[in-house]
């Protein structure tokens, strides 16, 4: 099809031309001085993005590798991890823990809101014997567009003087919405290259607190590839224990420069604005959001419920065939009944206008009942001409 494909899934996201050009440089010696200085720049900039003075590590991996790295570097078989069930990715993370021989306590959820902080706090208070060794929370649930309040989860640990480590999945929040590794007292944050960092998939990125590193001294799970100790030691000189993803790192440096040039507060405000415009379109169409808690609305992804009797994957197929646009599939128990709109990474007002137009035309073509006017509602908001006091659903 002529024209550009619209990649509106919530990751992998659109890769800016500047980043693509950086990746296209000739590969260099990963033990040479040019690589070392590039790696040090990448790590320094990543520390600024995670907002940490502690260590950042990076593996040629996807986000799931980061999940595993967090566990094997800090915990022992039989340790208990508390996981709030925010949606599909929390459940996947739980599966990784169980396969590694960890025990998982779930704080149940209905996949329509962020972590139930009161329930987490109760479990923490009840755990007087400190059986729970880590709390693992997904900051932005990409499957339903609901965020969790990491500050409140940290508070529940502090209020109970509970020593559990705090792990945060920042895969679809880092570079899209505020994230404060040190100020929030997070021990391990996990991210991946293919979302807010505007890169192709292939880099797993972790911020690691001193406490997490110290926990590694007594951690008993087997670790080889994921062992972050040789990585942290080598990184001081811009070196890696195994072959790093050199060309993705060229792209990473460029992407981090772009985020700093725009200014992180502006990047976050842009995501917030485009998320709000998307939700206004959904409301005007008369469709429901999966996220049922407005305080938890995500700036990077919006998940939408299909009207009963209409298959979300058929609708997505229609937008792909008719308009060359990919929308995100419903995942896990949301498969077939929901679709997701990614407004994340290298994205702006006119790209959103095109995305929402494709959805509105696609709903018509697929015979889905909806009210017209979603695109107009979003454009009015973006142009600053929306009625004062009107807001998303
Ligand atoms: N966590 C979240 C919040 C995600 O959105 C994803 C993937 O989309 C993952 C973890 C898993 O990452 P990966 O697919 O890169 O292994």
């Amino acid at each position: 099809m002529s024209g550009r494909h619209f990649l509106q899934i919530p990751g992998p996201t659109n890769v800016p031309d500047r980043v693509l050009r950086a990746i296209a440089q000739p590969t260099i010696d990963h033990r040479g001085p040019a690589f070392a200085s590039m790696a040090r720049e990448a790590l320094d900039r990543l520390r600024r993005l995670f907002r940490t003075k502690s260590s950042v590590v990076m593996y040629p991996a996807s986000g799931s590798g980061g999940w595993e790295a967090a566990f094997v570097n800090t915990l022992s078989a039989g340790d208990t991890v508390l996981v709030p069930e925010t949606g599909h990715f929390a459940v996947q993370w739980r599966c990784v823990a169980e396969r590694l021989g960890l025990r998982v306590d779930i704080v149940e959820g209905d996949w329509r809101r962020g972590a139930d902080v009161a329930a987490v706090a109760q479990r923490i208070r009840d755990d007087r014997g400190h059986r729970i060794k880590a709390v693992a929370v997904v900051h932005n649930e990409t499957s339903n567009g609901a965020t969790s309040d990491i500050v409140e989860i940290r508070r529940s640990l502090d209020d109970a003087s509970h020593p559990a480590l705090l792990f945060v999945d920042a895969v679809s929040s880092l570079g899209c919405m505020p994230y404060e590794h040190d100020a929030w007292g997070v021990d391990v944050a996990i991210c991946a290259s293919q979302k807010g960092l505007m890169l192709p998939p292939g880099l797993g990125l972790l911020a690691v607190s001193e406490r997490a590193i110290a926990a590694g001294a007594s951690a008993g799970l087997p670790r080889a590839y994921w062992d972050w100790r040789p990585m942290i030691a080598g990184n001081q000189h811009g070196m890696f224990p195994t072959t790093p993803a050199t060309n993705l790192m060229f792209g990473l440096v460029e992407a981090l420069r772009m985020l700093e040039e725009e200014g992180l507060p502006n990047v976050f405000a842009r995501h917030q604005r485009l998320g709000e415009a998307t939700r206004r379109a959904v409301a005007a169409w008369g469709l429901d959001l999966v996220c049922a808690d407005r305080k938890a609305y995500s700036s990077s992804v919006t998940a939408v419920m299909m009207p009963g009797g209409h298959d979300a994957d058929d609708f997505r197929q229609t937008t792909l065939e008719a308009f060359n646009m990919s929308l995100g599939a419903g995942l896990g128990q949301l498969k077939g009944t929901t679709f997701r709109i990614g407004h994340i990474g290298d994205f702006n007002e006119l790209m959103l206008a095109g995305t929402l137009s494709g959805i509105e035309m696609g709903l018509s073509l697929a015979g889905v009942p909806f009210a017209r006017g979603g695109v107009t509602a979003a454009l009015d908001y973006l142009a600053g001409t929306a009625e004062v006091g009107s807001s998303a659903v």
Side-chain angles (χ1 to χ4, degrees):
M1 288 176 97
S2 62
R4 220 171 164 150
H5 176 68
F6 267 62
L7 182 66
Q8 294 321 137
I9 60 175
T13 62
N14 297 288
V15 180
D17 293 350
R18 255 176 83 174
V19 173
L20 288 173
R21 278 195 295 272
I23 292 171
Q25 292 173 73
T27 301
I28 57 172
D29 172 9
H30 64 291
R31 302 196 200 283
F35 177 83
S37 93
M38 184 266 282
R40 275 198 294 260
E41 178 177 349
L43 292 164
D44 285 347
R45 288 184 186 272
L46 270 179
R47 266 189 285 274
R48 292 207 283 274
L49 181 64
F50 275 110
R51 308 268 300 149
T52 184
K53 297 214 171 336
S54 189
S55 299
V56 168
V57 289
M58 105 176 79
Y59 303 91
S62 77
S64 308
W67 281 342
E68 181 159 342
F71 291 140
V72 299
N73 278 290
T74 56
L75 301 178
S76 302
D79 282 353
T80 299
V81 182
L82 186 68
V83 179
E85 183 193 2
T86 48
H88 176 75
F89 289 104
V91 170
Q92 294 303 106
W93 200 2
R94 166 209 186 145
C95 292
V96 171
E98 287 175 342
R99 274 182 249 142
L100 290 170
L102 299 166
R103 293 204 182 109
V104 178
D105 279 4
I106 282 279
V107 176
E108 267 144 32
D110 64 359
W111 291 35
R112 298 203 61 184
R113 57 206 85 234
D116 181 342
V117 175
V120 170
Q122 189 61 50
R123 296 281 186 97
I124 297 287
R125 275 196 301 276
D126 290 348
D127 182 37
R128 289 196 194 80
H130 297 165
R131 197 176 50 87
I132 296 169
K133 300 297 180 213
V135 179
V137 193
V138 178
H139 186 202
N140 182 71
E141 233 322 327
T142 325
S143 63
N144 54 25
T147 59
S148 289
D149 191 335
I150 305 303
V151 174
E152 284 302 313
I153 303 246
R154 173 79 257 168
R155 199 189 314 277
S156 67
L157 287 164
D158 292 346
D159 286 353
S161 302
H162 196 293
L165 296 167
L166 177 57
F167 298 162
V168 172
D169 174 320
V171 169
S172 57
S173 60
L174 193 74
C176 312
M177 52 196 86
Y179 176 80
E180 295 279 343
H181 192 76
D182 291 354
W184 294 354
V186 178
D187 291 298
V188 185
I190 297 107
C191 191
S193 49
Q194 73 272 20
K195 306 214 183 231
L197 272 66
M198 310 182 290
L199 290 157
L203 286 178
L205 308 152
L206 283 80
V208 181
S209 73
E210 294 302 326
R211 262 184 91 221
I213 294 170
S218 56
L221 285 176
R223 59 194 131 150
Y225 179 73
W226 300 115
D227 192 343
W228 60 38
R229 289 169 295 190
M231 181 91 76
I232 290 169
N235 279 178
Q236 317 224 330
H237 315 285
M239 291 293 129
F240 285 75
T242 55
T243 312
T246 324
N247 286 53
L248 280 178
M249 287 175 61
F250 284 140
L252 174 64
V253 169
E254 198 62 25
L256 294 170
R257 285 180 189 157
M258 287 176 70
L259 290 173
E260 289 195 13
E261 284 165 20
E262 184 175 352
L264 284 183
N266 298 328
V267 173
F268 300 153
R270 172 169 57 81
H271 279 84
Q272 206 284 330
R273 191 166 69 248
L274 298 174
E276 172 69 16
T278 305
R279 292 187 294 271
R280 286 180 185 230
V282 174
W285 288 326
L287 302 180
D288 290 324
L289 299 173
V290 179
C291 180
D293 175 7
R294 63 172 52 238
K295 289 194 302 303
Y297 286 161
S298 166
S299 294
S300 56
V301 53
T302 297
V304 183
M305 311 256 236
M306 281 306 269
H310 292 269
D311 187 274
D313 293 335
D314 291 347
F315 162 66
R316 290 189 316 106
Q317 187 69 21
T318 301
T319 62
L320 180 62
E321 284 169 5
F323 307 116
N324 195 16
M325 174 166 71
S326 295
L327 294 168
L331 296 173
Q333 66 188 39
L334 299 172
K335 181 165 173 45
T337 56
T338 64
F339 69 91
R340 295 174 300 147
I341 309 166
H343 30 83
I344 168 168
D346 186 40
F347 196 56
N348 64 25
E349 279 80 355
L350 294 189
M351 292 163 87
L352 180 65
T355 303
L356 297 175
S357 301
I359 296 173
E360 194 158 320
M361 291 189 287
L363 289 168
S364 266
L365 271 182
V368 177
F370 76 104
R372 280 173 206 285
V375 174
T376 309
L379 298 191
D380 283 348
Y381 169 72
L382 292 174
T385 51
E387 263 174 53
V388 178
S390 71
S391 69
V393 274

